[in-house]
Amino acid sequence: MTDDNTPNRCRIILISPPGMAAEAFATKFAAAIAGGDVASVILPPYEMDEASYQAFAERVVPMAQAAGIAAVIVDDTRIAGRVKADGIHIEGGKAALAEAVENFQSRIAVGAGGVKSRDDALELGEERPDYVFFGRFGYDNQPEAHQRNLSLGGWWAEMVEIPGVVMAGSSLDSVATVAATGTDFVALSAAVFSEGVDPSEAVQRANAILDETAPRFEPAG
């Protein structure tokens, strides 16, 4: 989604939640992306075995791509290739990230996670990934975004040009707090996909919050 309608401010990245079957998530995901602008979706494997994870990705990746949304696989480069994903997210540290950057970045995006400190972030940044993620998949179980992620994301946005992604909390009210850090992307999972939440309304509201509160970015170049 890089046309003239792409918002010039923090955008949404969706994270599939733990414990949800492929078809159930596909239904919620379809509703979510009908709610407005979404830049990307990251699909962590959680406790799935390889076959189950590939089947999950095979169900969701084409849906995302048909809507102009980048689909990202976590850690498994073979599955990323099989499902023709747009990106691979590496949680396994600097050596694994360096290998992925060398072997795959010419064809797909390579992102980095597993950051616990500024030193972690700077080490990963040396490999020039396409983004650095601040948060842990499946741990957005409090209404507010985790303070460490906010702090790291804000520092990163000020210091480094590589885009940052900050995990929000389980409440959409945390979207404004994340955007205020100056980060490029806010990651949403529980706030969109929890039981009793309308995913379309959640994405619509999150975009409205970003439209109203997120700092605007200077045009590139």
Side-chain angles (χ1 to χ4, degrees):
M1 300 182 69
T2 57
D3 59 29
D4 292 341
N5 294 320
T6 301
N8 188 32
R9 42 83 171 152
C10 179
R11 296 178 69 200
I12 295 168
I13 289 179
L14 296 176
I15 314 291
S16 59
M20 190 173 291
E23 204 57 44
F25 178 70
T27 299
K28 285 180 174 283
F29 180 62
I33 62 180
D37 179 67
V38 171
S40 180
V41 60
I42 300 176
L43 307 173
Y46 299 114
E47 303 301 319
M48 287 182 270
D49 60 29
E50 183 175 346
S52 298
Y53 185 36
Q54 182 169 328
F56 188 96
E58 286 173 342
R59 181 69 181 88
V60 179
V61 168
M63 293 176 60
Q65 293 172 339
I69 295 167
V72 179
I73 297 299
V74 176
D75 284 331
D76 196 317
T77 56
R78 292 176 301 176
I79 289 179
R82 291 169 192 159
V83 303
K84 297 180 172 57
D86 302 288
I88 180 77
H89 175 103
I90 302 297
E91 289 274 304
K94 185 174 182 178
L97 178 64
E99 182 178 356
V101 167
E102 180 179 357
N103 293 328
F104 298 100
Q105 197 176 44
S106 63
R107 303 190 300 277
I108 62 174
V110 178
V115 177
K116 298 178 181 177
S117 68
R118 291 186 178 187
D119 286 345
D120 288 345
L122 291 172
E123 277 208 351
L124 296 173
E126 290 175 356
E127 303 303 327
R128 306 301 296 177
D130 292 286
Y131 66 83
V132 173
F133 181 89
F134 300 98
R136 293 177 66 190
F137 301 135
Y139 282 79
D140 54 332
N141 47 17
Q142 299 297 318
E144 306 84 13
H146 195 288
Q147 187 56 49
R148 181 180 67 189
N149 299 333
L150 293 170
S151 177
L152 287 170
W155 161 78
W156 185 260
E158 288 185 3
M159 297 293 294
V160 185
E161 290 185 358
I162 297 169
V165 183
V166 175
M167 191 80 218
S170 60
S171 168
L172 288 175
D173 293 338
S174 64
V175 168
T177 307
V178 170
T181 67
T183 193
D184 298 87
F185 299 97
V186 54
L188 296 172
S189 186
V192 173
F193 298 118
S194 290
E195 188 73 26
V197 175
D198 182 319
S200 180
E201 289 183 3
V203 169
Q204 185 175 8
R205 184 179 165 210
N207 272 302
I209 292 169
L210 292 169
D211 284 340
E212 183 175 344
T213 68
R216 266 44 185 179
F217 300 142
E218 293 295 326

